[in-house]
Every structure is written in C-alpha cells, then in structure tokens.
Amino acid sequence: MTKKKFSEEVTLEGHIIDSWMLPRAFDTIMDMGGTFDVAEIQVGRAKDQASFARLDVHADSERQLENILLELQSFGATLASRNDVACEPAPADGVLPPEFYSTTHLPTQVRLGGHWVDVQNTEMDLVIVVDPERGEARMVPSASVVKGQLIAVGHEGIRIIPPERPREREIFSFMGSNVSSEHPKRLVIDEIAREMRAIRARGGKVAVVAGPAIVHSGAGPLLAKIIREGYVQVLFGGNAICTHDVESVLFGTSLGVALDTGQPVPHGHRNHMAAINTIRGCGSLRQAVDQGVLKEGIMYECVKNNVELVLAGSVRDDGPMPDVIVDVQQAQRKMRAALEGVEMALMIATMLQSIYTCKMLKASVKVFAVDINPAVATKLADRGTFQALGLVTDAELFIRELSDALAICEKQEAKAKKPAKA
Amino acid sequence: MTKKKFSEEVTLEGHIIDSWMLPRAFDTIMDMGGTFDVAEIQVGRAKDQASFARLDVHADSERQLENILLELQSFGATLASRNDVACEPAPADGVLPPEFYSTTHLPTQVRLGGHWVDVQNTEMDLVIVVDPERGEARMVPSASVVKGQLIAVGHEGIRIIPPERPREREIFSFMGSNVSSEHPKRLVIDEIAREMRAIRARGGKVAVVAGPAIVHSGAGPLLAKIIREGYVQVLFGGNAICTHDVESVLFGTSLGVALDTGQPVPHGHRNHMAAINTIRGCGSLRQAVDQGVLKEGIMYECVKNNVELVLAGSVRDDGPMPDVIVDVQQAQRKMRAALEGVEMALMIATMLQSIYTCKMLKASVKVFAVDINPAVATKLADRGTFQALGLVTDAELFIRELSDALAICEKQEAKAKKPAKA
Amino acid sequence: MTKKKFSEEVTLEGHIIDSWMLPRAFDTIMDMGGTFDVAEIQVGRAKDQASFARLDVHADSERQLENILLELQSFGATLASRNDVACEPAPADGVLPPEFYSTTHLPTQVRLGGHWVDVQNTEMDLVIVVDPERGEARMVPSASVVKGQLIAVGHEGIRIIPPERPREREIFSFMGSNVSSEHPKRLVIDEIAREMRAIRARGGKVAVVAGPAIVHSGAGPLLAKIIREGYVQVLFGGNAICTHDVESVLFGTSLGVALDTGQPVPHGHRNHMAAINTIRGCGSLRQAVDQGVLKEGIMYECVKNNVELVLAGSVRDDGPMPDVIVDVQQAQRKMRAALEGVEMALMIATMLQSIYTCKMLKASVKVFAVDINPAVATKLADRGTFQALGLVTDAELFIRELSDALAICEKQEAKAKKPAKA
Amino acid sequence: MTKKKFSEEVTLEGHIIDSWMLPRAFDTIMDMGGTFDVAEIQVGRAKDQASFARLDVHADSERQLENILLELQSFGATLASRNDVACEPAPADGVLPPEFYSTTHLPTQVRLGGHWVDVQNTEMDLVIVVDPERGEARMVPSASVVKGQLIAVGHEGIRIIPPERPREREIFSFMGSNVSSEHPKRLVIDEIAREMRAIRARGGKVAVVAGPAIVHSGAGPLLAKIIREGYVQVLFGGNAICTHDVESVLFGTSLGVALDTGQPVPHGHRNHMAAINTIRGCGSLRQAVDQGVLKEGIMYECVKNNVELVLAGSVRDDGPMPDVIVDVQQAQRKMRAALEGVEMALMIATMLQSIYTCKMLKASVKVFAVDINPAVATKLADRGTFQALGLVTDAELFIRELSDALAICEKQEAKAKKPAKA
C-alpha cells in the first residue's frame, strides 16, 4: 500500500448512525481513493442522544483530499475549517460567480463572523445570497439573483443537517430498496388518511399535485369531496385537470367520454374546447363560480374553500383556461410561495408538476407519489430522504380508497370521543 | 391496371357488418394484391336480420387467388367450394400430416358427406380429428393425436362463425383501439359484479386466474370472501399464490412481510419455505384443511367450497406445494377440463397461467384481464373478439373495489325484491 | 322492429374502402341506434379509381338523425346539405360563439357561396375563421381569435377528406391493432433512414422532438452528427435537453455522471446549474457558439446548421437557459410556424413537447414516436391515421441504430451510383 | 430511557465496511428496538486489510435479544456462540424438521466438532444436510431431502460470508439506488463484451437465459452468431424461443410475421404449430439437425456447439417441442447441474426462467438482466449483492449492440497483439 501523504481530521456529529452519515462517510472516502482511521467513535444509546465520530482522512494529493472533504460535507460532515463562508458578487442579473455553491433540500447553515447562521428557505439547486452586514443568508433561485449580490462560493463555512431516519414511522419503511407495486397499499392509504386528519386538526397544510387522469377516470367528485372537507390547502395542476374538471361538470364527459357510462357521446370531442371557451367567456374560474356557471367539482371546491390553486401552463395546453399561468417562471414563483408551511405533499398521476414540486420541497416534508408507471413513482420518491414513498397504483382506485379511509378515520375518532354511557 | 385473370365468387353471410367481416374482406383482398366487384349487397335493417354479400374476387395467379380465398375463410367467408373436408392420417403419435388445419377459438364446422357438422370443443391452435363414419369431428391438442387418426388438412370444407359485436353491452366498448389505464374502472367493476351475480344466480361458472400479488398486497382475505360467497367455480394459479396464501394464514406474512403492518418480521424470509414444509407434512391442502392446520384463506375456501383448483407448476417454483402439478402437460389437461362451461374468466395479476387460459377459452367467454403492466393487459385482452377487456390497474385495489361492488349489488337486489309496505 | 321515422340520404365518395370510411359508417349508424339501407355501392377496382356509396339512414327522432349525420361527417361522409357554412362573430378576443366548429387534423373544406373552398392550415382542435368577402377560410387557435371575426359554427357546409390507407408502404402496417415492443425494429429504423435521406435529397424538412434521455444515455454525439449531416431541419426540446447537452459538452457529464465512465464525478451535481450559468453569462446559445464557449454537441450543431430550434419552457425547469421560451403560448406559436412544410416528425423519449407537436401536425405528416414506456408510444402514435407508428424501445440504442442505418444507406447509394468498370 | 437488561457481545470481522455489514448492524439493532455500545472498532486502511468491530448489544428481553442476534447473523455477524450446528432428522421424504435453517446465496459455513466447515453448493432457499461423521455439509432443495437425513436447524453454529463491494469494477456502480433506463447502456454492453471474451479465453462458462422476443424482433441470427463464436456455454429457455427460432429458420416467420419485411404472411399463424410438428416428426432438435432439417439458428448452434441447452416447460406451451422438459422439477434439476461453474448470466427478455436461474446462482456470479419492463429488470437485479445489474432496454437492440461490441473487442485485441513493424 502506498502511503497517503495528505491528511485532515473530520468530525461527524448528530444522528450519524440514523442519518447513515457514518457509513456513507466510510464508503465515500474509499470510493474516492482515500483511506481513513477512526480516531474516535461514540454512539448514542438512545434516540435522543447524539453520536460523534472523528476520522483522520488520508489522500494521495491535495486535490483528492479536497474532493473527498467536499463530498463528505455534502451529506453533513463538518470540516475542521474555521473560516467564514466565502462570497463573490453576481456579475450580472441572473448570472452567478463561477464557483457558486448549489444548495440541497436539507437545512443549511453558513458561518458568518465566526458564528453558524441558519440559511433562510430550503430548496434544492438554489444559491445562497449572503448579507454579511445583517448576518443573514437565504436561498434564492439563480434567475432572481441581482447583479452585485453576494453569492456563497466554494464549500468552506457551509454545513448541512442531514435528516434522521424516523424509526417509529413504519409507513416509510417500505421504501427500503424498492418502490413496489405489490405491497399492501391500503395500509399506506390508512396512514395517509390519519396524517391528513392530524394536519387538518392542527391547522397545517397539505398540498395535492393532481393530474388529469383523476377526472378522466371518474374520481373527480371524490377529490372534490376531500377538498370540501378541508383536507387540502394547496392544489397544483395544469390546464388539463382544470379543463377535464370543468368539462365533467358542464357536460358530464371527460375528453368526450361520458363519465356515467364510459361511452363516447356524439360530438363529445369538442366538449373539451367548449369547456375552455365557457370559462374564457366568464373571465376566470372564480367568475364562473360567482356567475353560477360552475357549480361543483374540483375547481369549484378550490375556489369556494380558498385553496391556494396554482395552474401552471405547459406547451401541450389547449386554450388555455384563463387561470392558467402561461409564464412558467411566474408559475414557479407562485408555487414556491404556496408551498410555505406545507407538511405533506400528495402527487397523483402527474409527472410534470410533481417534478418541480418535489424539487421545491424541503427534505422534511412528507411526500407520497402515486403513479401507475413504476418509473415515475420511483423518480418522484427518489429524494434521498426517509420521508418519501412511491406508490405504484391506479389514481382512480387510490382516491376511492383514500376517501373511504378518511371516512373510516372520522368514524373511529368520533367513536373514541363519545363518552361511555352512565 | 393489369387485368386480373383468375376469379372466384365468394359469399359472406350472417352478421357481416357487426362482425366486421365485410370491411375485413374488402381490405384483405386489396392488401393481398387482388381486386373485387361487389356483385350484391343486402344489409339487414335490424339486429336480428342477417346480411348478405356476394363478391367477385380477382387475382393475377391461381396461387394468389388461393391465398386470398383462404385468408377470407379464416374470418368467416364461405367459399363456393362444394367439397367435403379433406383428411389425412397422423403419421405417428403426436405428429400431424404436414398440411394440418390449425383451429381458431371460434365456432367451427366441417363438411362431411355434403353436410356442415359442428366441430366439438373450441380452442385455438388445436387440430380437427374427423370421424367420417360417425359423421363427427372434434378439436384436440396435437400432443394427444394418435397415429392413424384422420386429421383435417387444407382449408376446403371448413368454415367458422365469426363473433358478432355486442352493441348493447356497453362495458366492452372501451376496448376500441386501446386498453387504457385512464378510463373509469369502477364502472367496469360494477358491471363485472353484476355479471358475477347473474352467473351465480343461474348456476353458471366463473374462472379466476390469480397471481401471488393478490396475497402479497393484502387482498387475499377479500378474494377468499368472494370465493366463500360462491362467485368462483374454477381457480387457476401456481405454486406462488398457494404458498403466499398459506404463509399469510399460518404466519401472517407474505414473503416475510407482515400483512397487518407492512413491516418485515424477524427471520420472516423462511416463512415461505416453512409454509410449503407444513403442507408437505400434512400431505396436501385438503389434508391440511381436514387436520385443522389450514383454517382460512383462498386455498381453504377452494377446498371447502369445492372450487375446481388447478395449480400448475413452473420452473420458478420453490418446494413445491404438494398440490402443484409439476407436469405442465398434465396441468393443461386439467385446466382444459375445468374450463368446460365457464362463462367468464377473470385474470388478475398473473401472466403465465393467463396466457394459456386465454388460449383455451372459446371466443364467446367474457375475459377480463387485470394487470398493472399495460403490456400484459393488452396482450391478454388481444383476442380478436368483442368479449375481452384489459384493465390496467392495481390487483389489490381492484379486488377491494370488486368486493365492495358485489356487496352493493347484493343490497340493491335485496331492496328491489322487498315488497312495498302496505 | 320499431319502424324508424326519420331518414336522410348520405353519400360516401373517394377512398371509402381504403380510408375505412364505409365500415365506420355502417358501424356508427348502428352504434348510435340507427339503421340503414345500402342504396348503391360501387367499389373502384384499382387503387386510382374512386369508390362510391349511397346510404339511406333511418332514425327514431330528428335529434338522433342529426347526431348520426354529424358523426358520419366527422370522418368524411358528405351530407346532402346544399347550404353554405354558417358563421357567427366571436363575442370577445379569445372567446368563441358557443356552437363553434372544432377542427380535425385532416384536410377540410367549407362551402362559401355554393363552392367548396380549402381551409388554410390544418391542425386539430382549432377553429375556422371565415372571410366570406374574399371567399377564404383558415384554421386558427382559439386564443388568437379577435372579437368580431366570423367563426364557423355547426356542421353544415363543412367537409373533411379522410386519409387513404397506404397499402404499398409496408412500414406502417405494424400499426394494426397494437404498438408492440417485440416487432423487428431494425426494419423500421432502416425505413426511417431511407425516408430521411429522401427528404434531405429533395430539400424537405424533418422535425425531431428530443428528450433529455438522449444526452443522459450517451447518444448526444450521435444525434449531433445526424444534425450536422443535414437530416434535421427543425428541433423541438425543452430546458432539460439543452442543459444536459451543454453540460455534457462543457463538463463531460450529464446530471453529474461522467458519460465516458458512467460514474458520478465529485460535485458533479452542480455541473447542471453551472452549464446554465455559463450560457446565461454568454447571453444565448448562439453567443456561446460565437464566443467559442460551446464548441460541439446538439445545440452547437443546431446553431451552426440553422436548424429551427424551439426550446419550450416548462414548470419543472431549472434556470432556465436563456434560449428557453418561458411563455408557453409564445412557444406554441413558434412551434406552429416551424412545423410549416415538415414531412416527417421523429419524437424521441419526450412526452411533453411531443403531445403538442402531434396535435399541431396535419394527418399527412409521418410520425414516429420512440419511447421505452409503451403507454407513451401508444398515446403519441394514436392519431387515427395510417401515418403514425409507435416504437417501444430505448432512445439510446434507437439513435445508435439510426445513425448506423443512415451510414449504410449512404454507402449503398454511393455504390449504386458508381459506374460499372469497363 | 429504560435500561436494557439483556446483553451480548457480537463481533464483526472481515470486509465489514465494504460489505456494509457494520452500518446494517447498527441499523438492525436500533430498528429492532435494541441499543448498542461500540466496544472496539478497527478499520483496515487498505483493501486487503480486514476490519474488526466489537459491539455490546442490549435488549429488553431474551426473545428480543435472540431476534436481533439472529438477524445480525443473517448478513454476516459472528455470534459469540461456541456451539456446533444443531441438526434434526427429516421426518419424511421431502419434509423438513420445523426449525430448518433456510439458506442464502452467500458462502456459508457450519461448525462441526468445533471447526468451521464450508457448506457445499450455494443456493438460496435450500436446506443444509449435515453429515457429522464425515464432517461434511451441503445445501439441497427440500424436495430432495430423504427421511432421516440430518437437517441443520436454528441458527447456532452457522455463519455466512458477506460479499465485498467491488470498488474497482465500475460497471456495477450504476446499481446504486436505481435500475435506470437512462444510463449510457453502451458502456455496460462494452463491459459485458470484454467480460464474455475474457471468460471464453479462460475456458469459463457464460449462461444465457433467452426469451422469445429475441427471435420475434429479428435478433435471432445475431444470438446464433454469438453462440457459434463460443461465447455461450449454457442456454436456458422455454418452448417459445425454441419454437420461434425453428419457425424463423424453416419458414422465415415468427408467429406468422415475415422477419425480412415485418409483414404477416398468408396463413402464417399456423407456421408456429407447423414448426413444432416438423421437429416432433424428426424426434428431437438434435435429430432435426442430423437429418438436415434444421440448418441454422439458435437451436442449431446450441446442438452444433454442445451448449448445455435446458428448455423448461410451462403451462402456456403449445405443442410442445420434443426437447422441452414438461416436468418442472426435472427441469430445475437439469438447470442446477448446468449452472455449475457459470461465471456470468445474461438474462434477456424472459422473466419466468430468469427468476429461478437467479435463485439458483450463488452471489458471486455476475448477473445482467435485460428487460424493457423496468419492474422485471429491477426484480431480477435485486439480489442484495454487488454483482447484479438491471438494464431497462430493448432485447433486439441490446443483442445488436452486444454483437457489435464483441466484434470491436476482437479487432482491438487483434490489433494490440500485432507486433509493431520494424
């Protein structure tokens, strides 16, 4: 064995076992050609005790050592570095200094004036704008960066807090190696229902990202009911679910197929365009509701229940509906704002909006991605956290079972509260 | 245009519009390079009136004309031929004369002594054994042919009755061009439930071909209930569903995962082998039931309710369970016998057994193929008939909804029967 | 049988067999509860002879008869109607009169002043703006309609020309009932290559709609080569393929994975954002090429070879790249303009842009949709024409084989041209 | 925190980092409700230095402690236990004592007379038959167990050797979290080609498990060529690939579709049955080759090149071909024997045979599973080892590229060997 000439001490602290920080550190060092000695290791005996490890990392070159240290840092190791975060000004609006630091979806801190400061907002692939005078830092999308703003660069003086694996929450342990289509999904659906009720009870927020197949498969009225009952605070979708929903309410069809018989109706293919035209005639969804044109359905319930509705445009849109935001950057900004405070996101049969929603969510938000295509469910659930679960199943039947599970939960809770008779 | 020298008159009779016989005839002739004149066409005005067409088919060569005529025959055209069916003796056991006629799943007749005679049994890819003395013919699998038996050869003196498109049965009209995952499945499930109740009421037979995911996803008890209620007369499966079912009953797990929590249990991976070992120790499923070892579940209900259970072995089997038929030819024979009189087949999350079951079923049997993989659902439903429907959906949720739909049907019927109060 | 009281004569003319117009007419009438007599039928004997049929359609009510006639019209039947197209003014910008006629992707004519006039442009789900004074009509998207423009309403005075089934073109006959993953794809790829060479030779236009998996799977340089060789005139994509391509050129990675080893590189995850930042710093792709920053790749070849490049924004975009059009309505307009004159469209591993491209293409454009997900390939190829084919296969290997097939074609043609030696 | 009353010391030795044994131990203990102290940890600095850890495991009950220890053992931890393996006699042929130990696919040892003895054969889900007198043990399938044989029971005196993660072999590192359809597959194919050439060069064995889509998609001749060139020593398949291959050779079709045009041929649907009948007439594939009836193709090359061919029957088979083994237990035995010494297994577009082949292979065999369905590729590659890779891709194009890659490898090696010119 060739002796490694370059060394540095690294400390790992916190939930280093539960966050898999320690084994990933071992692996990373060896994968990248380095070696290490475990100088010290203390494993907390209980859940609330922190663990601690001190490693001496060895490498063959300064560059290799640097690469290893940066990689360790990316999942939570704290370098021995005592420096503040380095910053450089943005050379132009929306343009970053070349060495900009790209963020993760994990809680992040920067060192300013020798102190670790929480970075405001948490979102993947943003940059950190630093205000040294105020001792503040926040994540912003690169497109919003203004010339001259100080952008965090390099890796020094930046650290992230890795997520802890929630051992007591059984629902996510399906995740293990695979997103499977064969696990008992009703167990998961029951758990989602309990969680939705708990969030509603404490005034929290649930976001639903909804694809058009929900309406097309006849499950629209059930989702509308779930919204009406107050389980949904944020709804993201596109032109398609909006148009399908309005078409189903106005004409009883979805893409020209009658929802009560499954049969195409004569000339039904134009109902889609006629639905858009009707709402365009009213001016907006809200105006259609106010004018008594739109009297039920998913969109109606969103309007009536003050759900934060963001309909993002896409190049495949017909029409579009007047409420659809055709500027995708603007749509992203509205989505970002609406996600503030969301505790759970339910993504049903829609890949496009879901991908960006996933990116915008910080690691601690619970994510359930429902899709009949295993590749989509896997992609959406693949967040590197212990809080995401992909369900390979049918959107229609999922919503039916969820609606049923919510009703059963309600009954059980009502029963539990009822005082025993004297 | 070169003049076609060879001509023959063909008549098309019966439901030539509803069976798509006429347009396919037009298309086939032109695709194969021929031309035609419509000598006569009479379209029945009502459903019960037969239609009739007479075409003069022209081709450039005798060979081309022959090919066209044979192709027309394959979907129901009657050739002007006045000859009896031609036969040749099988040269050895299980070996056919080279020009053997290969059957379809449609009702078939052969001309014997100048009369059209129904061929007994109807199954795809079999051969016709003819007994001219008795004036009888029947379809048999080639492996069962005995040296010297007379086998129908060529195409003369053979005709098939094409299926009529059932306009009034709305459920199958989804089929159109595509098997879709986005149609309202609950409508179909309600229709399946009504049909199953009707078949049970008239003492008919429903076959279920069941894959192991049913148990693994937690829907085993619901399928067991459906069997217990008398909706299933034939059940086909393999070693996997049998073992999963027994494991779930004996240990509460499926492949080591607890069905009530979704969590793996300690050392659960051996429960699968232990389930097999337990039944092997008893001798058979029936003995396990009789000895009180197996007290519930799908296999238990099959034993208790005299369901015709055929468990076909496959090369991927562990164990296997003692009831599994390890000789696949023997399994086929038992399946063929069990399918006699079946009116509906429900194939759930299993490709292997379903493919052969589909092949064995005559065209008039209603087939529902449920699979989360669109390719499988499409393949199984692709029977060239108007009686097959592929449902791209989740096996667990499908069975939950079917169980629910059956219960609702029952209530509705009970209500309908109740006499109005005086 | 109840006698039908309401009747009307309908004529079917042209390729009524080859376009399946006749059998669809029979079927439609019966499906919708009507009956018919075939008053006359003349089938052209040769490909270039038109056919003709005259049907008397009967229905139980005026409304039913109307519905049947409209449905017949939608695939090419000519009603006996002698009226001009009816029009109403648009009540507001982007708002249509309620009875607006929604277009198909088939060639369409309107009757103006007693004469049939070709409607300019051909695209699905648009509306027809009529200028009676000039005797002109054209299809426009509803969003572009200006208050007061005359919009075609109802169905009278409008007819469409159904597509003829191209019997001699073997490549599309796979299409039959299913898009299969098991057919010999190399045969199709060879045919695509021959067609691309023919189009290039005659100065025609091929559009490629390209998904990011092309770059991610390492096939980027092969697509770049195909563009460089002049086989592509229009390229549609999104931010992702642009960013992946630039990342691969600048850093040799795609989403941080090195394309020459398949291994993640240290800190590679930020290469994606750095690629965007680099081009933003240059100002645009063209400027990046001009400044020598971008020296090869798909985007480089598009710039260098004057390919009409439309990058449509979507809500899932990072950055985005400066060339991405963030207003999706504007992107649609640019796509529509770029598709003018396109003869073939190749859609590879991208659903979003492909869906709208498919909608914008008139029926006569040849469409090949390549996707590893059978549902996507089916959806894209499901155009109701005889010119679309879905290939369920791998984007990377498809492009490798296409590149290979183009090279072999070239050699064969070169050889064919070489004069025999004396 | 409640104090845990029951403790035991466990040692982990060997590649405890590289095999992920250590982190899995930490996780398992905590998941199962226990706690631990790290008494000692020594991490080898180089690849060839063993590591060592000593943990004190604490639990609340004897039962819990036992469960934790057994689970730790299942992936390689050595218990402090000093006992020999416990055994009980089989109560009947093919029936095991209830507490039988079920094997893994990892190298396993049992303690006999105080010494660790290697267990012969290595295969998942078998049992260990112990011969204490000879000091030997071997794994056997439960169906082969003879009454009275001593079967290992419980967990004491048994240990397994976990696999080491092969850091230098880049090809398998795709595996990480997902089997992806978007990685550069040609890199993997090149690596497979190099490995196949290396194995052929050293006289090793490669097994191919081949599905019928290979022939149906036109890639049969390429697989035949790969066999002819000596790259394949074992071929597993079923009746379908055999029949498709023979049909393609005798008639140029696959399921009636001509492989050179992609078009159905007249009456082609009976070619499938005729192919079977022809070989049945000859007696066997070998006789068909000897009689000059079968002159090329996959089956021909297997016969000519003495490839160990096992065709396992299944319930979906037509015919079957005379070489197909209709008793699946017998087929398993032949497969097991044929796999002796196999170093690489290539599974292409076939789930049925692949599942059992995977189960039969010990962990050290390299497995590549090619399927266009991501669920299948994932399932087959999910072996819990570092030696399996799922490729979500097209069987036809995969074989084309593999054939091409083998040819390029050959050229490169030839060039490398050529002496430089003087």
Side-chain angles (χ1 to χ4, degrees), chain B residues 78-278:
Chain B
T78 305
L79 306 191
S81 143
R82 300 262 144 63
N83 294 334
D84 268 18
V85 61
C87 296
E88 285 179 30
D93 285 3
V95 182
L96 309 167
E99 296 304 315
F100 69 93
Y101 174 83
S102 184
T103 64
T104 70
H105 61 161
L106 297 167
T108 302
Q109 296 180 319
V110 293
R111 196 197 295 261
L112 287 177
H115 299 292
W116 287 109
V117 171
D118 287 337
V119 179
Q120 299 306 303
N121 306 329
T122 303
E123 187 179 325
M124 196 179 285
D125 291 341
L126 302 195
V127 294
I128 300 177
V129 171
V130 178
D131 183 337
E133 296 190 7
R134 299 193 174 187
E136 290 175 2
R138 66 181 202 281
M139 297 190 190
V140 299
S142 59
S144 307
V145 164
V146 176
K147 182 177 175 173
Q149 281 184 325
L150 289 179
I151 308 297
V153 296
H155 289 77
E156 283 196 280
I158 302 174
R159 73 177 180 194
I160 64 164
I161 319 300
E164 180 187 3
R165 182 171 159 205
R167 284 177 202 284
E168 71 287 352
R169 290 196 50 72
E170 312 225 318
I171 189 173
F172 285 101
S173 63
F174 285 114
M175 200 178 51
S177 51
N178 283 313
V179 173
S180 167
S181 62
E182 297 189 1
H183 284 120
K185 274 165 285 285
R186 181 62 195 241
L187 289 179
V188 180
I189 292 170
D190 287 344
E191 178 67 23
I192 294 173
R194 279 192 292 274
E195 189 76 26
M196 287 174 81
R197 286 187 62 80
I199 291 174
R200 190 182 70 166
R202 66 175 174 258
K205 288 168 78 177
V206 169
V208 170
V209 190
I214 293 170
V215 177
H216 202 49
S217 67
L222 293 172
L223 178 55
K225 179 167 171 284
I226 291 170
I227 296 169
R228 185 165 62 242
E229 290 170 351
Y231 292 114
V232 180
Q233 284 66 46
V234 176
L235 192 124
F236 292 169
N239 190 56
I241 189 171
C242 175
T243 304
H244 279 49
D245 176 62
V246 173
E247 180 190 339
S248 74
V249 172
L250 298 185
F251 304 106
T253 60
S254 181
L255 288 179
V257 174
L259 289 168
D260 58 352
T261 65
Q263 296 300 300
V265 302
H267 320 300
H269 60 279
R270 71 183 283 291
N271 291 358
H272 182 74
M273 302 307 295
I276 296 172
N277 192 48
T278 301

Side-chain angles (χ1 to χ4, degrees), chain D residues 99-355:
Chain D
E99 297 304 315
F100 69 91
Y101 174 84
S102 184
T103 63
T104 70
H105 60 161
L106 297 167
T108 302
Q109 295 180 319
V110 293
R111 195 197 294 263
L112 287 176
H115 298 292
W116 288 108
V117 170
D118 288 336
V119 179
Q120 299 305 305
N121 308 329
T122 303
E123 189 179 324
M124 198 178 285
D125 291 340
L126 301 194
V127 294
I128 301 177
V129 171
V130 179
D131 183 339
E133 294 190 9
R134 295 193 175 190
E136 290 175 2
R138 66 182 202 282
M139 297 190 191
V140 300
S142 59
S144 307
V145 163
V146 177
K147 181 177 175 173
Q149 280 185 326
L150 289 179
I151 309 298
V153 295
H155 289 77
E156 282 196 280
I158 303 174
R159 73 178 180 191
I160 63 166
I161 319 300
E164 180 187 3
R165 183 172 158 205
R167 286 178 199 283
E168 71 285 352
R169 289 196 50 74
E170 311 225 320
I171 190 173
F172 285 100
S173 62
F174 285 113
M175 201 177 52
S177 50
N178 284 313
V179 173
S180 167
S181 62
E182 297 190 1
H183 283 121
K185 275 166 285 286
R186 181 62 196 241
L187 288 179
V188 180
I189 293 171
D190 288 344
E191 179 65 23
I192 294 174
R194 278 192 293 273
E195 190 75 27
M196 287 175 81
R197 287 187 60 80
I199 290 174
R200 189 182 71 167
R202 66 175 174 258
K205 288 169 76 177
V206 169
V208 170
V209 190
I214 293 170
V215 177
H216 203 49
S217 67
L222 293 172
L223 179 55
K225 179 167 171 283
I226 291 170
I227 296 169
R228 185 165 62 242
E229 290 171 350
Y231 292 113
V232 180
Q233 284 66 46
V234 175
L235 192 124
F236 292 169
N239 189 57
I241 188 171
C242 175
T243 305
H244 279 49
D245 175 63
V246 173
E247 180 190 340
S248 74
V249 171
L250 298 184
F251 304 105
T253 61
S254 182
L255 288 178
V257 174
L259 288 169
D260 57 352
T261 66
Q263 296 301 300
V265 302
H267 320 300
H269 60 278
R270 69 183 284 291
N271 291 358
H272 183 73
M273 302 306 294
I276 295 172
N277 192 48
T278 302
I279 305 299
R280 287 173 82 108
C282 295
S284 70
L285 288 168
R286 181 167 292 280
Q287 286 174 285
V289 171
D290 290 347
Q291 295 166 24
V293 170
L294 193 63
K295 294 176 179 165
E296 57 182 343
I298 297 169
M299 294 299 127
Y300 171 87
E301 297 297 348
C302 285
V303 168
K304 280 296 186 186
N305 295 281
N306 294 311
V307 170
E308 291 187 68
L309 175 70
V310 184
L311 299 173
S314 89
V315 78
R316 78 184 153 200
D317 294 347
D318 291 309
M321 283 288 188
D323 298 71
V324 168
I325 304 169
V326 298
D327 180 315
V328 293
Q329 291 280 301
Q330 191 189 335
Q332 285 184 358
R333 286 190 292 270
K334 290 202 75 165
M335 288 165 72
R336 185 171 283 125
L339 287 174
E340 186 66 38
V342 161
E343 296 175 66
M344 180 198 281
L346 208 49
M347 293 159 185
I348 306 171
T350 171
M351 192 164 67
L352 179 60
Q353 275 89 7
S354 295
I355 286 177

Side-chain angles (χ1 to χ4, degrees), chain B residues 1 17-18 20 22-23 26-27 30-31 35-38 41 43 45-46 165 167 177-178 378-379 382, chain C residues 1 17-18 20 22-23 26-27 30-31 35-38 41 43 45-46 165 167 177-178 182 378 382:
Chain B
M1 180 194 174
I17 307 298
D18 269 6
W20 283 80
L22 185 64
F26 290 166
D27 240 39
M30 296 180 79
D31 273 0
T35 60
F36 62 93
D37 296 307
V38 179
I41 188 163
V43 179
R45 292 194 190 184
R165 182 171 159 205
R167 284 177 202 284
S177 51
N178 283 313
T378 304
K379 196 170 200 166
D382 184 22
Chain C
M1 180 193 173
I17 307 300
D18 270 6
W20 282 79
L22 185 65
F26 290 166
D27 240 38
M30 297 179 79
D31 273 0
T35 59
F36 62 93
D37 297 307
V38 178
I41 190 164
V43 179
R45 293 195 187 182
R165 182 172 160 204
R167 284 176 202 284
S177 51
N178 282 315
E182 297 189 2
T378 303
D382 184 21

Side-chain angles (χ1 to χ4, degrees), chain A residues 196-219:
Chain A
M196 287 175 82
R197 285 188 62 79
I199 290 174
R200 189 182 70 167
R202 66 175 174 258
K205 290 168 76 177
V206 169
V208 170
V209 190
I214 293 170
V215 177
H216 203 50
S217 66

